[in-house]
């Protein structure tokens, strides 16, 4: 691959150096953690990308999981997967509670950390060759990520830094859109609102259009849509609607770095799930802020495009050459970097085995 280390300077130090709570021993890091995490998402994206348009989402996901798990074993981290493939995927690896990382930081034990993984955010997008499929990885201080196990879905509102202090998930859709328009200096008919294409959003879509804004539907994978809503120059101004709680927490790690806001409210699918949430100590009516979804301001987010999208370009294959585009963020410094990489396929395949 290209030597992307030159584009990731000393601002992106090892995770163990970011906070006294995480520092273990006096040894210097031998590699930059940000670049290590990008290597992991690159591997998963390349493996999953080989399945784009082949109609087999399980095959794509399995290949990406294998590649991500293999590369995670090389990362100087003592991580616990708190957001993984999960029960719904019957995952044999990268499941919740699994230990990942090599457990070492130089000659010392590596720092403890929460790890959120999604080898492919958008398996169906990958299988059908649609836009916005990503490979995603987030790391934060141990115990800082919200536990999403009680309720799988949440209502979400995501927008950029300009309107972050103005919007409120409890307000009517039209009012929030007017606030975003005012904050960004746009007319409301210039706003693009990202919404998952689901029957449950029919009323939401009607309200968005009645307010005068435009909808931009995504088929799956609302991590890409949410980050695009918080990032300037993507053509997306807001994300609204109900999506996965785990994806909301992963998004919060990114928003910690880029600014903006994600607000969430648990959306139990039935009375049984509502009671499960209450028994777990959750207030299902509470609006969860970015800082409550990820309590630490000491986290990393990395993603590599699998297919083209609003956030990143997808994997490109040409003979023995594979190119990827990734984004890596560090919340402590607010650093956001786009990493362009070129890989020699035969060398990459032997390296990741």
């Amino acid at each position: 691959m290209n030597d992307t280390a030159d584009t990731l300077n000393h601002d992106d130090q090892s995770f163990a150096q970011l906070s006294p709570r995480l520092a273990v021993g006096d040894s210097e890091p031998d590699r930059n953690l940000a670049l290590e995490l990008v290597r992991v998402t690159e591997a998963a994206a390349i493996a999953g990308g080989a399945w784009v348009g082949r109609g087999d989402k399980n095959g794509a996901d399995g290949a990406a999981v294998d590649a991500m798990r293999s590369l995670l074993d090389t990362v100087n981290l003592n991580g616990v997967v708190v957001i993984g493939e999960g029960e719904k995927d019957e995952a044999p690896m990268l499941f919740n509670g699994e230990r990942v990382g090599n457990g070492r930081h130089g000659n010392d034990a590596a720092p403890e950390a929460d790890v959120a993984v999604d080898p492919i955010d958008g398996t169906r997008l990958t299988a059908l060759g649609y836009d916005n499929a990503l490979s995603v990885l987030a790391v934060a201080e141990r115990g800082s990520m919200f536990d999403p196990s009680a309720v799988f879905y949440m209502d979400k509102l995501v927008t950029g830094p300009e309107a972050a202090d103005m919007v409120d998930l409890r307000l009517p859709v039209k009012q929030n859109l007017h606030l975003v328009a005012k904050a960004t200096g746009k007319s409301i008919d210039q706003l693009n609102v990202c919404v998952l294409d689901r029957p449950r959003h029919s009323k939401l879509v009607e309200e968005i259009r009645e307010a005068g804004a435009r909808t931009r539907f995504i088929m799956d994978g609302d991590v890409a849509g949410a980050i695009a809503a918080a990032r300037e120059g993507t053509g997306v101004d807001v994300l609204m609607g109900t999506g996965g709680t785990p994806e909301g927490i992963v998004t919060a790690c990114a928003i910690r770095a880029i600014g903006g806001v994600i607000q969430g409210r648990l959306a139990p699918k039935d009375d049984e799930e509502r009671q499960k949430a209450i028994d777990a100590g959750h207030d299902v009516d509470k609006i969860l802020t970015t800082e409550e979804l990820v309590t630490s301001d000491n986290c990393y987010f990395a993603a590599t495009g699998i297919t083209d999208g609003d956030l990143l370009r997808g994997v490109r294959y040409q003979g023995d050459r594979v190119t990827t585009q990734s984004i890596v963020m560090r919340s402590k410094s607010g650093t956001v970097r786009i990493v362009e990489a070129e890989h020699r396929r035969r060398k990459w395949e032997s390296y990741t085995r």
Side-chain angles (χ1 to χ4, degrees):
M1 73 178 70
N2 286 344
D3 187 3
T4 54
D6 289 342
T7 70
L8 295 163
N9 66 18
H10 63 277
D11 283 342
D12 290 305
Q13 300 168 28
S14 167
F15 192 75
Q17 290 185 302
L18 298 182
S19 162
R21 284 178 53 197
L22 291 179
V24 182
D26 298 321
S27 60
E28 290 297 316
D30 59 353
R31 285 191 300 178
N32 182 291
L33 183 66
L35 185 56
E36 291 188 64
L37 299 183
V38 169
R39 287 190 180 104
V40 175
T41 57
E42 284 174 345
I46 292 170
W51 292 78
V52 170
R54 293 172 60 181
D56 184 354
K57 67 178 186 178
N58 292 330
D61 193 48
V65 168
D66 288 346
M68 179 170 277
R69 185 65 179 84
S70 176
L71 265 290
L72 267 174
D73 281 342
T74 71
V75 176
N76 295 329
L77 196 67
N78 196 348
V80 177
V81 175
V82 297
I83 298 172
E85 288 291 273
E87 294 178 7
K88 70 183 179 67
D89 298 305
E90 300 181 352
M93 61 179 74
L94 295 180
F95 51 83
N96 292 358
E98 184 176 359
R99 286 273 176 178
V100 294
N102 64 18
R104 304 299 301 169
H105 174 61
N107 295 320
D108 302 303
E112 295 277 340
D114 285 350
V115 178
V117 301
D118 200 344
I120 300 182
D121 181 43
T123 53
R124 185 165 57 143
L125 302 178
T126 301
L128 299 178
Y130 289 136
D131 288 353
N132 284 317
L134 299 176
S135 177
V136 175
L137 175 63
V139 175
E141 288 183 322
R142 185 75 181 109
S144 64
M145 291 186 185
F146 181 84
D147 179 4
S149 59
V151 180
F152 185 74
Y153 289 104
M154 71 189 318
D155 301 324
K156 301 176 190 177
L157 171 62
V158 182
T159 193
E162 299 93 338
D165 295 329
M166 300 172 69
V167 296
D168 191 319
L169 189 56
R170 292 165 292 195
L171 295 175
V173 169
K174 183 176 182 178
Q175 188 172 347
N176 274 320
L177 292 177
H178 276 287
L179 290 170
V180 173
K182 180 179 179 181
T184 57
K186 297 182 177 181
S187 61
I188 198 165
D189 62 355
Q190 293 175 320
L191 295 183
N192 288 309
V193 185
C194 187
V195 182
L196 274 169
D197 188 5
R198 298 288 187 274
R200 64 176 177 264
H201 289 147
S202 58
K203 186 175 185 300
L204 170 63
V205 169
E206 185 178 314
E207 291 181 45
I208 291 168
R209 291 173 175 168
E210 285 179 354
R214 297 177 289 186
T215 54
R216 179 173 294 190
F217 285 115
I218 53 175
M219 188 174 178
D220 289 303
D222 71 353
V223 171
I227 296 173
R231 225 168 123 66
E232 189 177 356
T234 62
V236 178
D237 300 288
V238 191
L239 176 134
M240 291 181 166
T242 305
T245 305
E247 288 83 355
I249 298 159
V250 170
T251 298
C253 288
I255 288 179
R256 278 287 203 168
I258 61 179
V261 65
I262 176 171
Q263 295 180 2
R265 178 173 51 212
L266 296 176
K269 66 178 185 291
D270 52 32
D271 290 341
E272 182 181 349
E273 193 170 73
R274 174 178 287 271
Q275 190 59 51
K276 181 181 177 183
I278 293 170
D279 292 343
H282 297 305
D283 179 353
V284 295
D285 297 316
K286 178 180 173 60
I287 302 300
L288 298 164
T289 65
T290 309
E291 293 74 19
E292 289 169 319
L293 292 171
V294 181
T295 59
S296 171
D297 189 29
N298 185 21
C299 53
Y300 280 104
F301 171 92
T304 301
I306 297 174
T307 59
D308 291 346
D310 295 317
L311 189 63
L312 293 166
R313 190 184 65 239
V315 181
R316 299 282 195 275
Y317 302 88
Q318 186 172 357
D320 189 45
R321 187 166 64 97
V322 182
T323 58
T324 56
Q325 186 180 57
S326 305
I327 190 168
V328 61
M329 312 177 188
R330 176 193 175 200
S331 67
K332 195 78 171 179
S333 63
T335 304
V336 179
R337 302 188 189 279
I338 300 296
V339 180
E340 305 272 354
E342 181 178 305
H343 317 259
R344 295 299 171 184
R345 193 166 187 171
R346 282 172 291 182
K347 291 186 176 183
W348 176 84
E349 287 172 349
S350 64
Y351 171 68
T352 56
R353 285 195 185 102

